[in-house]
């Protein structure tokens, strides 16, 4: 009994065994309180933004989805009556019996053209700014800022006067160059192809500065010594851009590309202003102007079109972002 009691006292006096390697460390109460306090502070800072997003984005989005399955019209809104649930009838009508498929194809084609031009010209301008001296770089930057800062409606009005039928600068210049009067009273907006040419000039003129400035800032992060080493090894300009510069720019260019896709599918002001100056709406409508002209009373139809547009934008954006994340994880 005495030996057992002594061994028991020796066992109680031994220090606790150290934690095993790899075992999670137990946090003290002070550390737990600090972590909880940091979490509350983070949610407190995010709270106002989440409330605004919920009111301005989540609630209208949910309401749009619900209305797209009903025959909700202005009559229901005025009388305060509930609409009828009609299932997928709105979507079937939009995709089969309306002019939306044609407008959708036209909008997607215009988006592709605008995005390619904006990205290509913006990157070329950014590379040019890297090669220019300080004075010329400032001059180019000021010109880009002026084009970028002009409101879309003002820019459309200015370009509308340049392509004006009677007093336009373009018609006068063409008559002067050709030595004829063939271009007098020539309308650039009555024909859909020339309409979209003018529209493309306006949008590209205002969109290139954003791509140029963003790419120019990203080019400043490319190490000069790496480019010099590649040049010494015999790599030409295209090889240096493809193998060295582009990997540094890939994540930024992906974000810019996604933004360009979204913005170019949402154009409205320039199209509507040019249509008001002589363009034929039925032949030049894009998704924004088509929704506007469809009628504010057909809430169910317009909601269904809105859901389709959102799904298209999400599909395009998610594809680009997912591929970028996958590529970065593989590096």
């Amino acid at each position: 009994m005495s030996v057992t009691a002594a061994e028991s006292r020796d066992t109680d006096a031994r220090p606790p065994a150290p934690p095993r390697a790899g075992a999670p460390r137990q946090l003290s109460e002070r550390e737990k309180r600090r972590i909880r306090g940091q979490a509350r502070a983070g949610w407190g800072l995010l709270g106002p933004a989440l409330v605004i997003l919920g009111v301005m984005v989540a609630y209208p989005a949910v309401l749009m989805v619900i209305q797209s399955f009903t025959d909700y019209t202005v009559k229901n809104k005025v009388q305060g009556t509930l609409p009828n649930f009609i299932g997928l009838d709105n979507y079937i009508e939009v995709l089969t019996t309306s002019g939306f498929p044609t407008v959708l194809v036209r909008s997607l084609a215009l988006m592709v053209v605008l995005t390619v031009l904006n990205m290509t010209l913006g990157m070329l301008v950014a590379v040019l700014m890297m090669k220019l001296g300080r004075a010329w770089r400032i001059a180019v930057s000021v010109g880009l800022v002026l084009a970028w800062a002009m409101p879309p409606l003002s820019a459309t009005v200015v370009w509308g006067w340049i392509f004006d039928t009677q007093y336009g600068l373009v018609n006068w210049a063409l008559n002067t160059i050709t030595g004829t009067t063939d271009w007098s009273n020539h309308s650039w907006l009555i024909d859909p192809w020339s309409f979209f040419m003018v529209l493309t000039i306006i949008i590209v003129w205002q969109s290139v500065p954003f791509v140029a400035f963003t790419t120019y800032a990203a080019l400043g992060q490319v190490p000069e010594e790496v480019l010099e080493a590649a040049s010494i090894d015999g790599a030409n300009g295209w090889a240096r851009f493809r193998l060295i510069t582009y990997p540094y720019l890939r994540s930024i260019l992906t974000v810019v590309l996604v933004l360009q896709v979204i913005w170019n599918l949402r154009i409205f002001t320039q199209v509507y202003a040019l249509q008001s100056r002589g363009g034929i709406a039925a032949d030049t409508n894009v998704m924004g102007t088509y929704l506007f002209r469809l009628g504010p009373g057909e809430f169910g139809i317009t909601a269904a079109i809105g859901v389709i547009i959102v799904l298209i934008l999400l599909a395009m954006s998610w594809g680009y972002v997912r591929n970028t994340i996958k590529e970065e994880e593989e590096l």
Side-chain angles (χ1 to χ4, degrees), residues 54-67 307 310:
V55 174
M56 304 298 294
V57 178
Y59 173 73
V62 173
L63 188 62
M64 179 179 67
V65 173
I66 294 175
Q67 289 181 354
V307 171
V310 170

Side-chain angles (χ1 to χ4, degrees), residues 159-182:
W159 281 99
W161 278 108
I162 293 176
F163 285 92
D164 186 69
T165 302
Q166 295 180 339
Y167 308 104
L169 178 62
V170 174
N171 288 353
W172 171 83
L174 290 174
N175 283 332
T176 303
I177 293 173
T178 59
T180 64
T181 59
D182 295 341

Side-chain angles (χ1 to χ4, degrees), residues 278-326:
I280 301 176
D283 296 332
T284 57
N285 269 332
V286 294
M287 286 192 290
T289 55
Y290 179 79
L291 275 173
F292 178 78
R293 297 180 186 279
L294 188 62
E298 299 292 337
F299 298 120
I301 296 292
T302 54
I305 295 176
V307 171
I308 294 173
I309 294 174
V310 170
L311 292 177
I312 292 174
L313 291 175
L314 287 176
M316 291 182 175
S317 304
W318 173 246
Y320 290 126
V321 174
R322 183 186 59 184
N323 291 336
T324 302
I325 295 175
K326 184 185 299 184

Side-chain angles (χ1 to χ4, degrees), residues 110 152-165 187-203 267-281 284-285 289 293:
L110 180 63
L153 182 58
S154 301
T156 307
V157 171
V158 171
W159 281 99
W161 278 108
I162 293 176
F163 285 92
D164 186 69
T165 302
S187 176
W188 294 91
L189 302 179
I190 200 71
D191 181 71
W193 288 100
S194 57
F195 177 95
F196 284 111
M197 181 197 71
V198 177
L199 177 66
T200 300
I201 293 174
I202 298 172
I203 296 177
I267 56 174
F268 172 82
T269 303
Q270 298 92 332
V271 180
Y272 185 78
L274 287 180
Q275 288 176 344
S276 302
R277 294 186 63 89
I280 301 176
T284 57
N285 269 332
T289 55
R293 297 180 186 279

Side-chain angles (χ1 to χ4, degrees), residues 33-50:
R33 286 195 301 269
R34 179 174 58 83
I35 293 175
R36 287 194 294 266
Q38 291 176 347
R40 285 194 295 267
W43 283 109
L45 294 173
L46 287 174
L50 293 176

Side-chain angles (χ1 to χ4, degrees), residues 117-312:
L117 289 176
N118 291 340
M119 295 297 295
T120 303
L121 294 178
M123 292 172 63
L124 290 176
V125 172
V127 174
L128 175 64
M129 292 174 64
M130 294 291 294
K131 304 296 182 182
L132 293 176
R134 187 172 183 271
W136 278 106
R137 186 163 59 248
I138 293 175
V140 173
S141 299
V142 171
L144 291 174
V145 169
L146 291 176
W148 191 17
M150 183 176 290
L153 182 58
S154 301
T156 307
V157 171
V158 171
W159 281 99
W161 278 108
I162 293 176
F163 285 92
D164 186 69
T165 302
Q166 295 180 339
Y167 308 104
L169 178 62
V170 174
N171 288 353
W172 171 83
L174 290 174
N175 283 332
T176 303
I177 293 173
T178 59
T180 64
T181 59
D182 295 341
W183 297 97
S184 298
N185 297 323
H186 176 76
S187 176
W188 294 91
L189 302 179
I190 200 71
D191 181 71
W193 288 100
S194 57
F195 177 95
F196 284 111
M197 181 197 71
V198 177
L199 177 66
T200 300
I201 293 174
I202 298 172
I203 296 177
V204 170
W205 180 70
Q206 285 204 290
S207 302
V208 163
F210 172 77
V211 180
F213 282 132
T214 307
T215 308
Y216 175 73
L219 286 172
Q221 307 302 317
V222 181
E224 287 291 338
E225 57 272 13
V226 179
L227 293 174
E228 292 177 1
S231 179
I232 293 173
D233 290 340
N236 57 24
W238 171 246
R240 291 196 300 270
F241 177 82
R242 181 172 58 88
L243 299 176
I244 299 175
T245 305
Y246 177 71
Y248 281 95
L249 304 180
R250 181 166 48 198
S251 58
I252 296 176
L253 290 180
T254 300
V255 175
V256 175
L257 181 62
V258 171
L259 291 176
Q260 288 297 314
V261 169
I262 295 174
W263 292 341
N264 292 332
L265 275 177
R266 294 171 56 243
I267 56 174
F268 172 82
T269 303
Q270 298 92 332
V271 180
Y272 185 78
L274 287 180
Q275 288 176 344
S276 302
R277 294 186 63 89
I280 301 176
D283 296 332
T284 57
N285 269 332
V286 294
M287 286 192 290
T289 55
Y290 179 79
L291 275 173
F292 178 78
R293 297 180 186 279
L294 188 62
E298 299 292 337
F299 298 120
I301 296 292
T302 54
I305 295 176
V307 171
I308 294 173
I309 294 174
V310 170
L311 292 177
I312 292 174

